[in-house]
Amino acid sequence: FLPHLVASMEQVDQTYIMIKPDGVQRGLVGEIISRFEKKGFLLKGLKLFECTKELAEEHYKDLREKPFFPKLIDYITSGPVVCMAWEGVGVVASARKLIGATNPLQAEPGTIRGDLAIQTGRNVVHGSDSPENGLREIELWFKEGELCQWTQVQVPWLRE
Ligand code: IDP
Ligand code: MG
């Protein structure tokens, strides 16, 4: 019985999760990572990173025309971020649920933003919005060799 092979027949996605500079400054790194870790997802990449304006602009290129775009780029480049790649069955949608609504006032209690943030412009964490963007963003933020291929010993206890 090879549980990781059985599970691979289900849809295994990857998502890019980023703790924004406010999350790092406020000492929420461990708290936020632990939400994904406890859920059972597989951590494939992790780093503390100071991103350039160019990278932030590329990451948020779909929002280029928004009035808040310059402030968003200033926010994301205002200090180190924590970059993470997580893998799992349905991880993109599941991570969005764990994170909660974009506006923390609308985010349910129990979600990261619902518990830990107040304003949209300081909403502590990013999560990819589709499996395609998950792959695009992981490729954008991580270099080759920065991701690990490994299997959790808990897989048979996480997946039927
Ligand atoms: P998401 O992070 O929940 O996917 P998006 O609409 O993709 O939300 O927006 C990306 C980020 O841009 C948000 O997380 C937030 O930091 C910022 N943002 C979105 N809308 C506003 C706004 O109206 N004012 C200020 N910042 C905003
Ligand atoms: Mg988004």
Side-chain angles (χ1 to χ4, degrees):
F1 175 59
L2 295 168
H4 55 288
L5 293 181
V6 174
S8 72
M9 288 186 280
E10 299 174 88
Q11 204 205 337
V12 177
D13 296 328
Q14 295 190 15
T15 192
Y16 176 66
I17 302 294
M18 178 168 70
I19 304 173
K20 297 177 178 180
D22 50 336
V24 175
Q25 286 286 353
R26 291 176 53 208
L28 300 173
V29 170
E31 165 80 35
I32 293 171
I33 292 176
S34 74
R35 305 251 177 150
F36 299 96
E37 197 177 34
K38 286 177 193 165
K39 178 79 174 170
F41 293 126
L42 176 75
L43 181 61
K44 301 204 77 179
L46 171 68
K47 65 180 178 185
L48 185 68
F49 187 65
E50 283 175 305
C51 83
T52 60
K53 198 165 179 274
E54 289 67 35
L55 181 57
E57 286 174 348
E58 177 61 24
H59 174 77
Y60 282 124
K61 65 179 179 189
D62 293 348
L63 301 174
R64 205 162 266 163
E65 305 306 320
K66 301 282 184 189
F68 58 80
F69 187 73
K71 273 172 65 181
L72 173 60
I73 300 307
D74 286 347
Y75 165 43
I76 296 302
T77 57
S78 64
V81 294
V82 172
C83 309
M84 291 177 273
W86 290 90
E87 182 180 279
V89 176
V91 70
V92 171
S94 185
R96 296 279 293 188
K97 281 193 179 175
L98 291 175
I99 287 169
T102 303
N103 182 345
L105 291 182
Q106 263 115 53
E108 294 296 328
T111 65
I112 295 168
R113 288 168 174 167
D115 289 348
L116 306 175
I118 300 170
Q119 285 198 308
T120 304
R122 295 288 184 272
N123 61 4
V124 304
V125 67
H126 165 82
S128 307
D129 62 7
S130 68
E132 297 70 40
N133 277 334
L135 295 179
R136 175 183 84 86
E137 292 169 3
I138 288 169
E139 201 165 295
L140 186 64
W141 288 88
F142 286 97
K143 292 197 210 103
E144 226 184 297
E146 287 183 332
L147 301 174
C148 296
Q149 295 293 341
W150 63 292
T151 305
Q152 294 158 300
V153 294
Q154 57 176 331
V155 164
W157 303 103
L158 285 164
R159 299 183 192 168
E160 56 180 8

